[in-house]
Amino acid sequence: MNKSIKPFLWHMSEKQRFSVSCYALLALPAILMAVFIYLPVLWAFVNSLFKFEVGGESEFVGLRNYVELFTMDPVIYPAVINMLLLTLFGTAIQITVPLIVAKLIFSLDKERGRYLYRLLFLVPIVAPGVAVQLIWGGMIYNESGMFNEVLRMIGLGGMSQGWLSGPKTALLAIAFVGFPWIGGINVLIYYAGLASIPTSVNEAAKLEGCTGVSKFIRIDIPMVFSQLKLIMVLTIIGGVQTYEGIFILTRGGPGFRTMVPALWMYFNAFSFQRMGYACAVGVCLFFLILGLTLMAFRYVRSTEELEGKA
């Protein structure tokens, strides 16, 4: 250790030396985060004011990219509507279905059974997301896929079609990818919330005759509002940002029926070589995500906030 640093540390209390050590350990991750996360974000803000191609010369255009985005782009508003519909649907699913499954698992009598079911519902996250999308696109929604074959087996062959290629069905088909929406980490998050409910609360509810569905609605759900709030925020952020699944399944088609802003940003950046315009789309998505997240934190109460209010 440097000799000039040793006397400086010796004059500190043990608590102060511990604090200095923690700050020193956090310094490297903070620097790496600034270089690889914050600087690219700042770069996007600055370059949204320029017109340029990758490797080409840039031209300062001011707010012209934003003016074009809001007034002349025929794709962006339908894309925003598609994104909002998919995000609302996904949020509604993720705050209900995994919670019900977690409650069913938690209600099992034996710990061995609870463990096996938790493991069973966690296994699907091991599968790569790209593989899951390819399975849904090639084996389930294909014209000769499982969904159409089931319709033919039950005598509804006239309804069979290319679900991802039909203008009226493509967006709905994308929304149902992942059905029945119970595999993943959300079940475990809700299960942890249910397991953290104090035993005294459960015993008091039992003495009052509050059991079954009544207990689930009146006690369990309010006690897991913190987990619900977390999952809601993460689902909203993911819904606004995500485009990989749509890129794999439809590439925004047929036409622009399944286009979303994040995918439109990707196309402008890497297909149309309009990097400045893509940065403008990304900046707008940044503020949209920030606004939706702040609204969720402002208007959705956590368990601790509910208890404090009570």
Side-chain angles (χ1 to χ4, degrees):
M1 186 180 293
N2 192 297
K3 293 182 178 180
S4 62
I5 298 178
K6 281 185 177 181
F8 175 73
L9 294 177
W10 286 342
H11 287 86
M12 290 184 176
S13 65
E14 183 177 351
K15 184 177 180 180
Q16 289 174 327
R17 287 197 296 270
F18 178 76
S19 298
V20 170
S21 301
C22 291
Y23 281 114
L25 291 173
L26 287 172
L28 180 60
I31 293 172
L32 293 175
M33 187 169 63
V35 172
F36 292 103
I37 296 179
Y38 292 123
L39 282 181
V41 171
L42 180 61
W43 181 87
F45 273 83
V46 173
N47 284 280
S48 67
L49 304 177
F50 289 82
K51 177 183 178 181
F52 72 100
E53 299 178 2
V54 178
E57 294 184 0
S58 60
E59 175 189 355
F60 181 77
V61 295
L63 298 177
R64 194 181 305 169
N65 287 327
Y66 294 97
V67 173
E68 179 183 349
L69 177 64
F70 288 109
T71 62
M72 292 182 284
D73 193 331
V75 176
I76 192 64
Y77 288 111
V80 169
I81 293 174
N82 292 337
M83 179 266 294
L84 291 176
L85 290 175
L86 291 173
T87 302
L88 287 173
F89 182 81
T91 303
I93 290 298
Q94 293 303 322
I95 63 176
T96 54
V97 177
L99 176 58
I100 295 173
V101 173
K103 176 60 179 177
L104 293 174
I105 297 174
F106 187 75
S107 299
L108 296 176
D109 293 332
K110 297 182 178 179
E111 177 59 31
R112 182 181 179 85
R114 294 197 291 268
Y115 174 79
L116 290 176
Y117 272 104
R118 294 201 304 272
L119 182 63
L120 175 66
F121 290 124
L122 190 62
V123 166
I125 69 172
V126 178
V130 174
V132 173
Q133 300 293 336
L134 292 174
I135 289 172
W136 276 84
M139 297 178 61
I140 297 178
Y141 284 145
N142 192 277
E143 292 186 5
S144 58
M146 185 184 73
F147 196 26
N148 285 333
E149 290 300 322
V150 170
L151 291 176
R152 296 185 184 104
M153 288 175 57
I154 62 177
L156 298 176
M159 297 178 60
S160 61
Q161 57 183 296
W163 297 95
L164 291 172
S165 58
K168 296 182 179 180
T169 59
L171 191 65
L172 186 62
I174 288 175
F176 271 81
V177 169
F179 179 85
W181 310 293
I182 55 177
I185 203 69
N186 290 349
V187 173
L188 295 185
I189 293 176
Y190 280 126
Y191 184 90
L194 293 170
S196 66
I197 298 176
T199 305
S200 59
V201 174
N202 293 323
E203 292 176 350
K206 187 175 181 180
L207 290 174
E208 293 291 335
C210 184
T211 58
V213 177
S214 177
K215 178 180 179 295
F216 177 64
I217 295 175
R218 301 176 62 182
I219 296 178
D220 292 340
I221 292 179
M223 294 297 289
V224 297
F225 265 12
S226 297
Q227 288 75 21
L228 187 148
K229 185 176 182 178
L230 170 65
I231 291 174
M232 177 182 291
V233 170
L234 294 178
T235 305
I236 290 173
I237 293 174
V240 176
Q241 288 181 337
T242 302
Y243 67 91
E244 296 90 344
I246 298 176
F247 179 81
I248 293 169
L249 293 172
T250 65
R251 293 181 180 268
F256 295 103
R257 293 300 180 96
T258 59
M259 182 63 68
V260 292
L263 183 58
W264 188 234
M265 176 184 66
Y266 172 86
F267 281 143
N268 276 279
F270 300 108
S271 296
F272 310 148
Q273 293 297 311
R274 302 186 64 198
M275 187 62 72
Y277 188 75
C279 288
V281 177
V283 169
C284 292
L285 287 179
F286 170 83
F287 284 110
L288 178 61
I289 293 171
L290 179 63
L292 292 175
T293 303
L294 292 176
M295 287 177 61
F297 276 108
R298 174 66 178 83
Y299 295 107
V300 180
R301 302 287 185 180
S302 65
T303 303
E304 292 78 12
E305 290 171 335
L306 290 174
E307 290 176 347
K309 186 177 181 179

